[in-house]
Amino acid sequence: MAFVRVANVADVAPGNIQEVQVDGKTVAVANVEGKFFAIDNTCLHRGGPLGQGQLEGRIVSCPWHGWGFNVTTGKSSLSQSVGVACYAVEVRDDEVFVDMDVRP
């Protein structure tokens, strides 16, 4: 799969995270100080939507039970041995692209 356009840069303000669709899969796209990251949207605990969580720095908290994940690595805040998938992100001409096959 190639990079797919998911949002305009202005759609995801710094310090925010949101859900986007990439080929039928929901992904969470975060803007950390102007740099974009994409992770799987599904929390490992009970399947909560990470893209609806609170982003504090690099950590998104699941809105259902508060599990935290680093959006730059996908790793859990509780244990570095587990985490959600991360996907490659590119910004071109004020548009955000995600490639589901490429992991940073």
Side-chain angles (χ1 to χ4, degrees), residues 63-104:
W64 289 4
H65 299 104
W67 276 37
F69 295 88
N70 185 321
V71 297
T72 68
T73 65
K75 298 295 183 188
S76 167
S77 298
L78 301 173
S79 172
Q80 293 295 301
S81 65
V82 297
V84 296
C86 287
Y87 305 107
V89 176
E90 288 186 0
V91 175
R92 304 179 206 148
D93 299 321
D94 293 327
E95 295 183 319
V96 181
F97 294 80
V98 173
D99 188 336
M100 300 290 286
D101 288 336
V102 179
R103 310 266 164 103

Side-chain angles (χ1 to χ4, degrees), residues 25-46:
K25 181 170 176 61
T26 306
V27 175
V29 172
N31 181 338
V32 177
E33 298 176 359
K35 186 161 180 173
F36 289 83
F37 300 92
I39 60 173
D40 190 288
N41 191 54
T42 305
C43 178
L44 298 176
H45 178 225
R46 296 265 174 127

